[in-house]
Amino acid sequence: MNAAGSRGPSPAYLQPQNGSSHRSSGYVPGKVVPLRPPPPPKSQAAAKFTSVRREAQATFAFSPEEQPSQRESRKQKRHKNTFICFAVTSFSFFVALAIILGISSKYAPDENCPDQNPRLRNWDPGQESVKHIVVKEGDMLRLTSDATVDSIVIQDGGLLVFGDDKEGSRSITLRTRYILIRDGGALHIGAEKCRYKAKATIALYGKSDEGESMPTFGQKFIGVEAGGTLELHGAQKTTWTLLARTLHSSGLPFGSYTFEKDFSRGLNVRVIDQDTAKILDSVKFDTHEYHNESRRLQEFLRLQEPGRIVAIAVGDSAAKSLLPGTIQVIQDRLGSKLIQGLGYRQAWALVGVVDGGSTSCNESVRNYENHSSGGKALAQREFYTVDGQKFSVTAYSEWIEGVSLSGFRVEVVDGVKLHLLDDVSSWKPGEHIVVASTDYSMYQAEEFTLVPCPECSRFQVKVKETPQFLHMGEIIDGVDVRAEVGILTRNIVIQGEMEHSCYAENQCQFFDYDTFGGHVLILRNFSAVHLSHVELKHMGQQQLGRYPLHFHLCGDVDAKGGYRPATYVDGLSIHHSFSRCITVHGTHGLLIKDTIGFDTLGHCFFLEDGVEQRNTLFHNLGLLTKPGTLLPTDRNNSMCTSIRDKVFGNYVPVPATDCMAVSTFWIAHPNNHLISNAAAGSQDAGIWYLFHKEPTGESSGLQLLAKPELTPLGTFYNNRVHSSFKAGLFIDKGVKTTNSSAADPREYLCLDNSARFRPHQDGDPEKPRVAAVIDGLIAFKNNDHGAWVRGGDIVVQNSAFADNGIGLTFASDGSFPSDEGSSQEVSESLFVGESRNYGSPAGQNKYVGIGAIDQKIRTLPRNRTFPIRGFQIYDGPIHVTRSTFKKYMPMADRYSSAIGFFLKNSWQITPRNNLSLVKFGPHVSLNVFFGKPGPWFEDCDLDGDKNSIFHDADGSVTGYRDAYVGRMDNYLIRHPNCVNVTKWNGVVCSGSYAQVYVQTWSTQNLTMTIARDEYPSHPMVLRGINQKANFQQYQPVIMLGKGYTIHWSGPAPQTTVLYLINFNKNDWIQVGLCYPASSSFQVSFSFLQRHNRSSSKMEDYEPVSSLEELQRRQSERRFFFDSSTGLLFLYLKARSHRDGHSYCSSQGCERVRIQATSDSKEVSNCMARAYPKYYRKPSAAQSMPAMLTGPCQGCGTRQVVFTSDPHKSYLPVQFWSPSKAETQRGDPSVISVNGTNFTFRSAGVFIVVLDACSVPFRLTEKKLFLLADISHVGEYLQTSIPPRSIVLLSTRGEIKQLNISNALVPLGLAKPAHLYNKGSTIFLGFSGNFKPSWTALFTSAAGQGLGVLEQFIPLQLSDYDCRRASPVHRKDLELLKHASKAR
């Protein structure tokens, strides 16, 4: 086997090479087809018959000359022989069939199973770490036991297969430094149609500073070269799902409880709610010193409701003043037998149930001797919550070396149960799962070990560890914030063997652990690669090209490249890796599906060179994506400034602009498909689309048909992003494509701000734009942005943003005049400022504060004072339509608003930002906020800050139709009838508005002052975009049809160019520019062509003698210079039509160039001379519309709920449960179903029954039980609810005893609940054979209400036994099918 050059028989499996003559006809990659010799005869008789038949064929070949008699004789003989042969054959067949049927089916080979090929021979190389294995032609090996070798090369038709068994009890571990597959070689572990059942592990061992490094592949690898086949197919699992019920910190809804104190003299008492494990009372009674304390304890226990859990522990001593009456109460109500004889300093502990008798009581006592109690008096009992979670209550008391200790614990026992959205019956005890963070910090992701759970349904698992953080399992405020839950364990494992700590040259200055893992590298022209349900653990190295799974320059790997079926990876678990998850490098048409990438360094799902196209990422989960060192974009702050070996000279990288871009999905070309993925926590971004100006890395020099930034976006549908710092979704920027130099010292491939996404048909800028559609994005709990989107045209639709620092920001695709008229739109979307996802103040969540909605403690983005915004306007033009905003309320130190503006904005902003059909829902008290000086806003005096503006097209924001909203101190846009909105720091005005782009040359640090003739005392001072640039640009927003003057902080610029921005045909303004009186001018008009920067249709302006003449001839090219004031007057009037969203006219950008000549160096500020000479009385060019009355019809999104399973229907249900005081005030109780209110005002129990199989909903019955009829509620629930029904129950008024506990158990509760003396009770249940996770019980203390509760109930689930008239429409699967066809 090891001898090179020897030849054996043909390999057991065809090993074709992609695109070469070696590919056999009919070969199907992924399907194992044995090459077998002809089957042996089934019996001797059959064999004889075969030879006889062949002989007959040779002997009985009649010629045309044969006589008729001979022919007839031979015919009769042939019939006789045929009969005999048929009889023998039939007998042989039935004998053989009986033998075959008598053999156990487990011995029958399956041609789909690679390990059942009869030509394989068992192979046991043993434990020889120096052995170099070459598997070549004729070697067909079945590995059947553990083995250790130095290396394995599989080539020339050689085959290695891992042995399997039907029961899956076998475990095989192969340890090797590397495996190289090439030239017709193949490695098989299972097959797509015969999945591996046993446990197979390939352990790649070796240190970076020892052993041989192979060319191209390096060390510690599985490599596939040209002609190689890698087929790994583990047992199928549900790879990841969502929580269906919230997983609380500690596993209990109100948390665990731990208390310990020394010398807490007396009886320490805790009262615990038996249904929720909540601590209700924590009291100490000093019954050692005071009789009154004993009486107080007696009264305290008398008032406790039956069923409550009571825990008692002695601190120091408690017996001296313990009265007989108190002892009797403890005996009667708690069932104690040891309290009667309690002595001085005896340690005693009890856990009992009020009125539960002695059988419910557990207690313990220890005597006090020599300053010790001789052990711990420990009492403990176990209980269940109404949700079915098992918990224990422990009380203890003891003396240790003269110190008295007493304490309590309330904690889960025997594991924590998780309720999941999908069938997870494939998850087994001992396997590992991860639950994602649902808070701002990705570090709240937690790993758990599954334990046996006989009582669990197929939608439940139980974990051994106790959760440390809150993980949401609900749809909250209409947004799906349910935590992702992924299974990490697979039965095929590829793992790197690791050292205990970092060593050698492995970036140990950044990592204290070994990062030199294994890697899998696939090269071009492989024969077949299909990986499914494989675990890759401790893979990747902090070296370029060494990733857990790397498709390296493979070209087209689908049908376009000759691969049928197309190459795919499916159901992989890649975790605790040291460099990315999956790298797609120069590879196209790859399908990555149902794969988990957890706890990795650097970009996780990584498209590398900016050339990768047609790849499909479907239903993948990435979480805990941490910084790495490989590329500048992988690095965090400290790595960025420390790694400087590839910068030029002494340049120190700037982390915010050069680095800090690590992303879970790094998409370097827009022509790829992202469907139903989850980015559940990254150091910087969840999904980042960037745009390479040219191919990079090893793809440099390739000629693309179209630039990525011009290429239309592939499918983007139903993706979710959360728990990232910079942004959930980021569409912007590129990477530097040149090496560092003196001209640009930054490192190659650092982040670069030059690229802009401008998708056009066929990637051709001369063809129409193609809108990039972001459909069904869910973004929540991202510190900075839910989404930052730059470019155009881009449409965000059917999306939801909750608890982000800023929900969504649009930025234009470029600066004027390069902009080609793009726009951005968000529609049918929901924005939530502060949801009921309060978070956990731990796990690197730095900021915690009081929520503005309900004053509860919650985690916060960025900072406690950060101004939360739903939609942020930056420059534009944008359109926000049919969108709803909820829960944006400011506080004294935190300005939260539904609509806000980019902070400290020096850039331009257009009045063509349009809002329409927007709705401001509950708890929005600040629709818009323009900022004010203070934290975060600083002085709020940059050019963009001052010119902030948007158009309220239909009055849905302000109540004034066709109104413009600007900053209150901006008098360039005002008129006398404008309406101030002080709390917005805004003003609402009517009129027509545009911009003037003023460009000056060789004028560093020059500020421009512009005043409107009607408000000269309120000029606007603009500092320009970049005061240190050679040319400066100012872009004030102006009201059309008005006069303005422009002044300077220094000498007037010699060259000034005025561009008409967003002017429609015949729009005009009069402008006067300040110059020295001795100035002379050359003024000209032209059209600037944006594409080639050339000028056309140039015309010179001629002077006139007065302003009046200029005004009469404003349509002509004229100017007037008033030397007395120093003002050069002219009219800016548009001559051409403007199309769509373009800043400029269809003929080009209209501009006026002023070339001034003057020897004066004086400051050119003519304000004192210009006014009052040119003052005009303020007037409204367009009257203010009347304020709208009544609700906005058709406003807001029509979607009520935004989920990651949009193919399911969810029913929104709300309860209004008033307190006693609110009830006395007359407030109603309400059950609202999909917006239909069912109101009741009488005390009693109100029940609404709905059909769970009808959409949107069908009311079966509503029934009110008054107080006099309360006793009949239980019977009604037990006998009158039809199957497949949703039950909604709410109480009103004081009901001392609600005897329905047993009736609620069949409807969803795990045990009868304590429903005595409740202020309010709300219950959601289901009648049927299925217990869904959404069933819930809520109660409040006497006199209190539950306020507003909102739940979203799934309808038409198959588990409800609903009969569907038509199959479920799955848009995601349709898009996947379409993307696969396009691959």
PDB file of all heavy atoms in Angstrom, residues 79 96 111 226 260 513 543 630 694 841 1023 1130 1168 1192 1273:
ATOM      1  N   HIS A  79     -38.588 -26.347 -27.698  1.00  0.00           N
ATOM      2  CA  HIS A  79     -39.667 -26.142 -26.721  1.00  0.00           C
ATOM      3  C   HIS A  79     -39.465 -27.020 -25.499  1.00  0.00           C
ATOM      4  O   HIS A  79     -39.698 -26.590 -24.364  1.00  0.00           O
ATOM      5  CB  HIS A  79     -41.012 -26.448 -27.370  1.00  0.00           C
ATOM      6  CG  HIS A  79     -41.456 -25.398 -28.339  1.00  0.00           C
ATOM      7  ND1 HIS A  79     -42.542 -25.553 -29.162  1.00  0.00           N
ATOM      8  CD2 HIS A  79     -40.937 -24.178 -28.646  1.00  0.00           C
ATOM      9  CE1 HIS A  79     -42.684 -24.481 -29.925  1.00  0.00           C
ATOM     10  NE2 HIS A  79     -41.689 -23.631 -29.624  1.00  0.00           N
ATOM     11  N   ALA A  96     -32.860 -19.755  -3.986  1.00  0.00           N
ATOM     12  CA  ALA A  96     -32.015 -18.593  -3.684  1.00  0.00           C
ATOM     13  C   ALA A  96     -32.781 -17.526  -2.915  1.00  0.00           C
ATOM     14  O   ALA A  96     -32.262 -16.910  -1.969  1.00  0.00           O
ATOM     15  CB  ALA A  96     -31.446 -18.012  -4.978  1.00  0.00           C
ATOM     16  N   GLU A 111     -26.053  -0.010  -1.724  1.00  0.00           N
ATOM     17  CA  GLU A 111     -25.126   0.618  -2.657  1.00  0.00           C
ATOM     18  C   GLU A 111     -24.956   2.100  -2.407  1.00  0.00           C
ATOM     19  O   GLU A 111     -24.012   2.707  -2.893  1.00  0.00           O
ATOM     20  CB  GLU A 111     -25.598   0.396  -4.094  1.00  0.00           C
ATOM     21  CG  GLU A 111     -26.864   1.140  -4.460  1.00  0.00           C
ATOM     22  CD  GLU A 111     -27.193   1.029  -5.942  1.00  0.00           C
ATOM     23  OE1 GLU A 111     -26.568   0.191  -6.625  1.00  0.00           O
ATOM     24  OE2 GLU A 111     -28.042   1.791  -6.400  1.00  0.00           O
ATOM     25  N   ALA A 226      -6.930  19.100  -7.232  1.00  0.00           N
ATOM     26  CA  ALA A 226      -7.615  18.724  -8.466  1.00  0.00           C
ATOM     27  C   ALA A 226      -7.847  17.221  -8.494  1.00  0.00           C
ATOM     28  O   ALA A 226      -6.938  16.429  -8.226  1.00  0.00           O
ATOM     29  CB  ALA A 226      -6.794  19.158  -9.672  1.00  0.00           C
ATOM     30  N   GLU A 260     -26.964  34.735  52.734  1.00  0.00           N
ATOM     31  CA  GLU A 260     -26.256  34.178  53.880  1.00  0.00           C
ATOM     32  C   GLU A 260     -25.782  35.326  54.759  1.00  0.00           C
ATOM     33  O   GLU A 260     -25.299  36.344  54.250  1.00  0.00           O
ATOM     34  CB  GLU A 260     -25.069  33.316  53.454  1.00  0.00           C
ATOM     35  CG  GLU A 260     -24.345  32.672  54.633  1.00  0.00           C
ATOM     36  CD  GLU A 260     -23.239  31.743  54.183  1.00  0.00           C
ATOM     37  OE1 GLU A 260     -23.528  30.550  53.966  1.00  0.00           O
ATOM     38  OE2 GLU A 260     -22.088  32.221  54.053  1.00  0.00           O
ATOM     39  N   TYR A 513      -4.359  31.940  24.536  1.00  0.00           N
ATOM     40  CA  TYR A 513      -4.659  30.538  24.260  1.00  0.00           C
ATOM     41  C   TYR A 513      -4.096  30.179  22.887  1.00  0.00           C
ATOM     42  O   TYR A 513      -3.801  31.042  22.052  1.00  0.00           O
ATOM     43  CB  TYR A 513      -6.164  30.278  24.310  1.00  0.00           C
ATOM     44  CG  TYR A 513      -6.995  31.243  23.494  1.00  0.00           C
ATOM     45  CD1 TYR A 513      -7.262  31.016  22.141  1.00  0.00           C
ATOM     46  CD2 TYR A 513      -7.509  32.403  24.072  1.00  0.00           C
ATOM     47  CE1 TYR A 513      -8.019  31.901  21.392  1.00  0.00           C
ATOM     48  CE2 TYR A 513      -8.262  33.300  23.328  1.00  0.00           C
ATOM     49  CZ  TYR A 513      -8.517  33.049  21.995  1.00  0.00           C
ATOM     50  OH  TYR A 513      -9.267  33.926  21.245  1.00  0.00           O
ATOM     51  N   GLN A 543      -3.289  32.827  10.420  1.00  0.00           N
ATOM     52  CA  GLN A 543      -2.440  32.977   9.235  1.00  0.00           C
ATOM     53  C   GLN A 543      -3.369  33.087   8.033  1.00  0.00           C
ATOM     54  O   GLN A 543      -4.408  32.410   7.969  1.00  0.00           O
ATOM     55  CB  GLN A 543      -1.518  31.760   9.062  1.00  0.00           C
ATOM     56  CG  GLN A 543      -0.530  31.543  10.199  1.00  0.00           C
ATOM     57  CD  GLN A 543       0.342  30.315   9.962  1.00  0.00           C
ATOM     58  OE1 GLN A 543       0.418  29.797   8.849  1.00  0.00           O
ATOM     59  NE2 GLN A 543       0.993  29.851  11.014  1.00  0.00           N
ATOM     60  N   LEU A 630      -5.737  39.045  11.152  1.00  0.00           N
ATOM     61  CA  LEU A 630      -5.285  38.806   9.785  1.00  0.00           C
ATOM     62  C   LEU A 630      -5.359  40.035   8.903  1.00  0.00           C
ATOM     63  O   LEU A 630      -4.384  40.402   8.247  1.00  0.00           O
ATOM     64  CB  LEU A 630      -6.105  37.674   9.160  1.00  0.00           C
ATOM     65  CG  LEU A 630      -5.967  36.304   9.834  1.00  0.00           C
ATOM     66  CD1 LEU A 630      -6.685  35.262   9.013  1.00  0.00           C
ATOM     67  CD2 LEU A 630      -4.504  35.933  10.014  1.00  0.00           C
ATOM     68  N   GLU A 694     -11.673  47.227  -7.250  1.00  0.00           N
ATOM     69  CA  GLU A 694     -11.101  46.265  -8.179  1.00  0.00           C
ATOM     70  C   GLU A 694     -10.809  44.998  -7.389  1.00  0.00           C
ATOM     71  O   GLU A 694     -10.736  45.017  -6.155  1.00  0.00           O
ATOM     72  CB  GLU A 694      -9.821  46.800  -8.820  1.00  0.00           C
ATOM     73  CG  GLU A 694      -8.750  47.174  -7.825  1.00  0.00           C
ATOM     74  CD  GLU A 694      -7.573  47.855  -8.490  1.00  0.00           C
ATOM     75  OE1 GLU A 694      -7.781  48.874  -9.180  1.00  0.00           O
ATOM     76  OE2 GLU A 694      -6.445  47.343  -8.327  1.00  0.00           O
ATOM     77  N   PRO A 841     -28.105  43.394  32.917  1.00  0.00           N
ATOM     78  CA  PRO A 841     -26.972  44.298  33.164  1.00  0.00           C
ATOM     79  C   PRO A 841     -25.704  43.534  33.512  1.00  0.00           C
ATOM     80  O   PRO A 841     -25.173  43.629  34.605  1.00  0.00           O
ATOM     81  CB  PRO A 841     -27.464  45.142  34.344  1.00  0.00           C
ATOM     82  CG  PRO A 841     -28.433  44.254  35.055  1.00  0.00           C
ATOM     83  CD  PRO A 841     -29.086  43.401  34.010  1.00  0.00           C
ATOM     84  N   ARG A1023     -19.481  77.077   7.997  1.00  0.00           N
ATOM     85  CA  ARG A1023     -18.019  76.917   8.018  1.00  0.00           C
ATOM     86  C   ARG A1023     -17.513  76.061   6.865  1.00  0.00           C
ATOM     87  O   ARG A1023     -16.306  75.986   6.640  1.00  0.00           O
ATOM     88  CB  ARG A1023     -17.574  76.304   9.343  1.00  0.00           C
ATOM     89  CG  ARG A1023     -18.078  74.884   9.578  1.00  0.00           C
ATOM     90  CD  ARG A1023     -17.546  74.310  10.879  1.00  0.00           C
ATOM     91  NE  ARG A1023     -18.078  75.016  12.029  1.00  0.00           N
ATOM     92  CZ  ARG A1023     -17.769  74.704  13.302  1.00  0.00           C
ATOM     93  NH1 ARG A1023     -16.910  73.735  13.541  1.00  0.00           N
ATOM     94  NH2 ARG A1023     -18.299  75.365  14.302  1.00  0.00           N
ATOM     95  N   LEU A1130     -27.207  88.875  -8.894  1.00  0.00           N
ATOM     96  CA  LEU A1130     -27.625  88.129 -10.074  1.00  0.00           C
ATOM     97  C   LEU A1130     -28.753  87.180  -9.670  1.00  0.00           C
ATOM     98  O   LEU A1130     -29.029  86.993  -8.483  1.00  0.00           O
ATOM     99  CB  LEU A1130     -26.448  87.365 -10.698  1.00  0.00           C
ATOM    100  CG  LEU A1130     -25.552  86.490  -9.801  1.00  0.00           C
ATOM    101  CD1 LEU A1130     -26.168  85.139  -9.531  1.00  0.00           C
ATOM    102  CD2 LEU A1130     -24.192  86.316 -10.457  1.00  0.00           C
ATOM    103  N   ALA A1168     -23.397  95.404   7.064  1.00  0.00           N
ATOM    104  CA  ALA A1168     -23.757  96.733   7.589  1.00  0.00           C
ATOM    105  C   ALA A1168     -24.216  97.672   6.481  1.00  0.00           C
ATOM    106  O   ALA A1168     -25.071  98.548   6.711  1.00  0.00           O
ATOM    107  CB  ALA A1168     -22.567  97.316   8.339  1.00  0.00           C
ATOM    108  N   CYS A1192     -54.956  59.735  11.156  1.00  0.00           N
ATOM    109  CA  CYS A1192     -54.369  59.646   9.822  1.00  0.00           C
ATOM    110  C   CYS A1192     -54.826  58.342   9.170  1.00  0.00           C
ATOM    111  O   CYS A1192     -54.497  57.246   9.646  1.00  0.00           O
ATOM    112  CB  CYS A1192     -52.850  59.695   9.926  1.00  0.00           C
ATOM    113  SG  CYS A1192     -51.992  59.609   8.349  1.00  0.00           S
ATOM    114  N   VAL A1273     -67.112  28.633  36.477  1.00  0.00           N
ATOM    115  CA  VAL A1273     -66.052  28.857  35.481  1.00  0.00           C
ATOM    116  C   VAL A1273     -65.261  27.589  35.228  1.00  0.00           C
ATOM    117  O   VAL A1273     -64.992  27.211  34.079  1.00  0.00           O
ATOM    118  CB  VAL A1273     -65.124  30.001  35.927  1.00  0.00           C
ATOM    119  CG1 VAL A1273     -63.983  30.166  34.927  1.00  0.00           C
ATOM    120  CG2 VAL A1273     -65.884  31.295  36.073  1.00  0.00           C
TER     121      VAL A1273
END
